[in-house]
Amino acid sequence: MTKEKVCKNCKLFVEGNICPLCKGNNFTNIYQGKMTILDTNKSFIATQIGITEKGKYAIKIR
């Protein structure tokens, strides 16, 4: 099983070689915690940290 990779720019979990959100290619596999945002308009946390797209995000990355 391969370790999940996270975009260092937007903290989105990515499967390919390019982040679909920010179009970057700078990734890490060292992270702490996960959160899934289903509805950005109703999510208090998403509005507080500036997430505008639904998806699975890392809470802290290195």
Side-chain angles (χ1 to χ4, degrees):
M1 184 173 153
T2 61
K3 201 160 191 190
E4 296 177 302
K5 60 184 175 180
V6 179
C7 177
K8 285 187 173 183
N9 298 327
C10 59
K11 297 182 181 178
L12 180 72
F13 281 87
V14 178
E15 292 182 6
N17 292 326
I18 296 177
C19 176
L21 191 59
C22 71
K23 308 300 184 220
N25 63 354
N26 191 9
F27 303 111
T28 183
N29 57 8
I30 302 171
Y31 61 89
Q32 291 180 339
K34 297 178 186 179
M35 65 180 160
T36 302
I37 304 296
L38 300 175
D39 187 350
T40 58
N41 296 324
K42 293 181 181 179
S43 171
F44 176 75
I45 295 192
T47 56
Q48 292 297 308
I49 59 177
I51 293 176
T52 58
E53 297 290 325
K54 68 179 182 177
K56 186 166 68 168
Y57 292 86
I59 295 174
K60 183 178 179 183
I61 60 170
R62 281 198 246 167

